Amino acid sequence: MAIPRTITTTKPPTLLNHVKRHLATPIDRSREKEYAFEMAASSIRFGPGATKEVGMDFANMGAKRVCIVTDSNVAKLDAMKQAVEGLTKEGIEFTVFDKVRVEPKDSSVKEAIAFVKPYKPDAFLAVGGGSVIDTAKLMNLYNAYPEADFLDFVNAPLGKGLPVDKPLLPLVAVPTTAGTGSETTGTAIFDLVSKKAKTGIAHRNLKPTLGICDPLNTRTMPSAVHASSGLDVLCHSLESWTAIPYNERTPRPTNPINRPAYQGANPISDIFSLQALRSTAQFLPRAVRDPDDHEAQSNMLLAATLAGVGFGNAGVHLCHGLSYGISSQNPGYKHAGYDVDHPIIPHGVSVAITAPAVFRFTAASNPDRHLAAAEAFGVDISNVKRESAGEVLGNAIAEFLVKLGDQPRGLKDLGYKASDIDGLVEGTLPQKRVLMLAPNLSEELQAEKGELRKLLEESMDY
């Protein structure tokens, strides 16, 4: 019989009285629930024009050789000009890697790692979107572990999932999009092509030393990039707000170094996640609609960072778990507004496309949280029954996506067919790091496969 992970309370665990155990009674440590959560986030500086301070930051750190990481488009923008001028003014030597791939693959990450190893920097600077910042994190990691196999730190079961047991070099992240929140998290995501799945590495030691969030840098985003980046913020906040509570997660780590970055919803992450959701519902439509609405753009950058703190500690679940197969198995879709020479399903699009179905499914775990999320979209929940929470939130998300405009209305608009669903399920199953945080999902494999299949079927069209 399948056992759903249905959680209806976030009440802290009760401390057990000391009891005598019979010495022969085995203790199943894998079933012991967590009893603590940790709060980790990068230092954040927020303000228009703050990019020009980055040279002084590296001088204050005593950095002498900096590796700047960016992509070919951002390399031409004012954010890079400001960064280069800042380092030059302080007399700091630097080299530039500008070949980051938007939506990185393992091959593009390995190319970046090979570039940096002989340079031997003493600090990193990432200027760009989540792809750039994530690539810089991985360059920093494998620069510190030059003999490591690439899969050593990759999330299990696709990799060994080893903990990062030493500090890395300073990394300053300057985001130019308002979406991933990567400037504050220890997570880096990429495509593992041989497995037809997205995966990544997650550890607190990967998080940037400092994130410089300068709203001037997001003004260059095309409308389509504003939209897809903002949809990532939307799902970061929704998923971390509705993830299982931290004290229901198993197993409890035997050593704190093994406590995962994604821990489940907790009282601190809740504050960041809910505020990010409210801000996204209010400001994303404005930022997409009007390229001169600088107030909305600034608030979306702040929302992205808030959501980064929230999901960077609580985690995400089904929208992200399903998205990794959706984007890595792209049948040939190229999203408008992205200046790339290859098919691309932007990450925000791939996570949001299943959101209406996902939150209809998860609502039974905690109707009150799902109703609070619906209220953030402007729904009057005063007379809504708790058993209707999923339908109300699912409808609110679908309406929000439709009104945002120019978004695919389901997997079919990405080119997927019913015959592709089995492959998408198989691409989702390895995402144990996020699936373990999904409320209502069965623990028994065949039941879990059935539930994932149903979510994908319901996401073909909305």
Side-chain angles (χ1 to χ4, degrees), residues 127-143:
V127 184
S131 297
V132 167
I133 299 172
D134 285 6
T135 298
K137 291 175 184 176
L138 298 171
M139 293 166 76
N140 195 6
L141 173 64
Y142 288 97
N143 178 69

Side-chain angles (χ1 to χ4, degrees), residues 224 330-346 349 406 408 413-415:
N330 184 355
Y333 177 85
K334 185 175 179 180
H335 198 66
Y338 279 74
D339 185 15
V340 294
D341 60 359
H342 53 83
I344 182 170
I345 302 173
V349 171
D406 296 325
D413 283 357
L414 300 180

Side-chain angles (χ1 to χ4, degrees), residues 161-197:
L162 298 179
V164 181
D165 58 5
K166 60 183 175 183
L168 306 184
L169 294 175
L171 164 61
V172 176
V174 181
T176 57
T177 61
T180 67
S182 187
E183 66 275 5
T184 190
T185 74
T187 301
I189 301 297
F190 58 89
D191 245 329
L192 192 59
V193 176
S194 62
K195 300 294 185 182
K196 295 184 178 180

Side-chain angles (χ1 to χ4, degrees), residues 342-409:
H342 53 83
I344 182 170
I345 302 173
H347 178 60
V349 171
S350 70
V351 293
I353 208 154
T354 62
V358 162
F359 292 102
R360 287 187 180 104
F361 171 74
T362 58
S365 66
N366 196 324
D368 294 335
R369 286 210 165 211
H370 287 68
L371 286 174
E375 190 173 36
F377 286 99
V379 176
D380 180 1
I381 61 168
S382 55
N383 294 314
V384 177
K385 296 180 179 177
R386 296 175 79 249
E387 56 266 31
S388 302
E391 194 62 27
V392 168
L393 178 55
N395 290 345
I397 296 169
E399 183 179 352
F400 182 83
L401 295 174
V402 169
K403 287 184 176 178
L404 203 58
D406 296 325
Q407 295 301 312
R409 297 276 293 271

Side-chain angles (χ1 to χ4, degrees), residues 29-30 32-38 204 246 249-260 263:
R29 298 290 184 191
S30 70
E32 286 189 319
K33 292 181 178 179
E34 180 61 278
Y35 61 89
F37 67 92
E38 295 185 23
R204 292 174 185 84
Y246 76 94
R249 180 178 49 76
T250 57
R252 180 190 305 171
T254 55
N255 185 310
I257 197 173
N258 296 319
R259 180 167 284 120
Q263 303 162 85

